[in-house]
Amino acid sequence: MMLAKTAAGSNRLSVLSVASEAVPLIKTGGLGDVAGALPAAVAAHDVAMTTLIPGYPAVMAALGVPATDAKRPGKGAAKGKPRMKLVHQWDALLGEPARLFAATLGAMPLLVLDAPGCFTRGGGPYADPLGRDWADNWRRFAVLGRAAADIAGGAVKDWRFDVLHAHDWQAAMAPAYLRFAPLADVPHVPSVMTIHNMAFQGHYGREIFSRLELPRSAWAIDGVEYHGGVGMLKAGLEAASVITTVSPTYAMEIRSPEFGMGLEGLIVSRGDRVRGIVNGIDTAEWNPAADPALAAPFTVRSLSRRAANKRALEAEFGLEPGDGPLFIVISRLTWQKGMDVLGEVLDHLVGVGGRLALLGAGDPAIEAELRKGAARHPGRVALHIGYDEALAHRMQAGGDAILVPSRFEPCGLTQLYGLAYGCVPVVSRTGGLADTVVDANLAAITADAATGFQFSGVDYQHLAMAITRAVGLYHQPQLWRRIQAAGMRSDFSWGRSGATYAQLYRELVSEAR
Ligand code: ADP
């Protein structure tokens, strides 16, 4: 297997991307979408990306090894599923026996880390079936990072990588191991550390340091030490050659305490080594013209077909038909996403003639408030608590406007899906929301540039005013259609960002030579 080898004289780069989730295998949020889409985005620019992900039971099963039969790779492979090939074994990866499988899923080359003591368990990637974070997450993801550093460092026969790209705190130990404990005699492998959300940093107590198998020198202010404990994201940010985050505005915001959440000093100190590259969306997966989830597929030239999707959505949520806009929300129900403020604004939303269909799960207190709101407004406000990918597609196709009142938003994807589906985004002016939605002020409408509504300040007053503005424009159908059309025509594909990542990898490789 020579997939990852850079041929002499070729301009093709090989990159090892390390993530704790990747579509279509496993997803809890935007990270999974991005890790799943990036390989194809950079392939167009002569970058061969292989994605390393943990062998959770769902991943092993999807790739042909039932979780119960994890000792016999390939044996349980259902027809049509890719076979996995064993390419490496560790007797003890931070004490954990582990195997590495290679597989290709569609066009996506994968390396799967099967460390049963870490990943063969029920629940989600990060939490047990009751939603409590696994107590040994530090160890599970340190094992992932150690494996990644070994692989990038050349431990696996015939596999060589030019760059390592780590995503979020769960992969952040990979650059840290590359810097502080590389395999002996390996050339320097440059690394990129991408922050998808600064709110999740992987902080643990000092006592885990000795179990990370790092040299004492790594216990330092420019190493893994963070306020007397271990900071896993912090370690990756210190060690990586370059830091990226998922929008230019968020890259600026994390220089301040409000958004940097304790790491703002580090971010400022890394200067121009911090870049913002906005996420794209998978335009094959999210294509309203050919979306199997929809009652009536449509394009920008057949927007009237959205009406059938809207009726289907109203019926699915038990909403009464109405003249006003149907707002949707697809979100984790958390403080970050401003879902507490959404709860406060429901009476206003209904009062100005709006209706709301919400899909989400998260904080029980926020969920309870939203349930109370729905009970006050039967037929006007309806909730679907849970996670449902196909329903998310149907909502973007049938809703008139999507509300995204986040307090901070590194990039945000739901507003991009809204743009692609003619579901007009109403967003707070922060992070990637500020970068991807053009506010419908008079000048922007006149120039046919407006794609949605922005408001600053995530509180009752500002969100209520934004909703009122959206309702007002909705009642001017010609203008509304122009906003929908401008959104659908804007470029939210991976094209430009794929090129930017590829360019970044090339810069790092030439720097390292
Ligand atoms: P974050 O990663 O912070 O949760 P993003 O907007 O970047 O937010 O990405 C969220 C992704 O998860 C989107 O693809 C969105 O459609 C999806 N999503 C969020 N909640 C749900 C849900 N309850 N059901 C289906 N998809 C959801």
Side-chain angles (χ1 to χ4, degrees), residues 43-57:
H45 305 281
D46 228 5
V47 173
M49 178 173 276
T50 301
T51 307
L52 172 68
I53 78 162
Y56 311 112

Side-chain angles (χ1 to χ4, degrees), residues 125-172:
Y126 318 121
D128 69 15
L130 296 176
R132 295 169 304 202
D133 281 352
W134 297 112
D136 61 347
N137 272 347
W138 67 269
R139 190 157 174 281
R140 301 172 71 224
F141 294 111
V143 164
L144 178 68
R146 182 66 264 181
D150 283 7
I151 298 163
V156 181
K157 190 169 176 292
D158 290 338
W159 288 73
R160 296 288 176 273
F161 292 95
D162 299 304
V163 177
L164 179 142
H165 187 164
H167 301 271
D168 274 354
W169 78 263
Q170 295 92 342

